Amino acid sequence: TVLSGSKIVFVHGQPIQVERELSPGKAVRLACPNVQIAVRFGRSLPSKPLSRRRASRVTVDRAKLEFPLTVRTIRAGDRFVPLGMHGRKKVGDYLTDRKVPKVYRDEILVVTDGQGIIWVVGFEIADRVKVDRSTRKVATLEVINSKRALTPAV
């Protein structure tokens, strides 16, 4: 058991380690955490690009992606440049800033491409893949469903 704020969290087993390739148009089901993640390609910009924070669906610039895409759990030392920032930040520090207790971090997923993290799932996209004026084609990354929330209520 672990005390997290005013909650007692029961933890068992080893940390979760997941890594699966994402194929456009096909959902990938992950057993733990229990979610489906999908990538869809669009030929044009959506009327309202979805790159906001704390979202289960985001839109990124497809031309800025280096395939293949992979979904995996976070690893020690993972870094990315959050949307709107210029410097790299450790994912662990990013989650600390968002007040995500360490006990929940084993279930946080990231989507990566050949250059690194493009989305901390449920939280933030990397600045390098944001939709901008030069964007012609997009990719939508989405958590289709989950039996439990990806991110704890904090």
Side-chain angles (χ1 to χ4, degrees), residues 55-96:
S56 62
R57 182 175 56 191
V58 295
T59 303
V60 298
D61 188 323
R62 188 166 113 191
K64 296 174 184 174
L65 299 176
E66 188 177 299
F67 294 91
L69 301 182
T70 304
V71 60
R72 64 172 173 79
T73 47
I74 61 174
R75 298 177 183 152
D78 271 348
R79 296 174 183 268
F80 80 122
V81 179
L83 183 64
M85 292 184 64
H86 299 289
R88 294 171 58 85
K89 189 169 192 104
K90 285 185 177 179
V91 173
D93 291 344
Y94 172 84
L95 294 171
T96 297

Side-chain angles (χ1 to χ4, degrees), residues 124-138:
E124 189 88 60
I125 65 167
D127 193 71
R128 72 177 171 87
V129 296
K130 70 184 174 194
V131 173
D132 58 25
R133 291 182 189 154
S134 66
T135 301
R136 298 294 172 251
K137 295 181 180 179
V138 297

Side-chain angles (χ1 to χ4, degrees), residues 30-58:
L30 303 173
C32 194
N34 188 8
V35 297
Q36 282 188 54
I37 304 241
V39 178
R40 289 189 306 277
F41 288 162
R43 296 181 194 270
S44 60
L45 290 176
S47 59
K48 194 175 192 182
L50 302 163
S51 57
R52 62 189 178 275
R53 289 168 171 81
R54 301 289 291 213
S56 62
R57 182 175 56 191
V58 295

Side-chain angles (χ1 to χ4, degrees), residues 108-120:
I108 303 292
L109 300 170
V110 293
V111 175
T112 64
D113 71 355
Q115 294 183 44
I117 295 172
I118 61 171
W119 185 29
V120 177

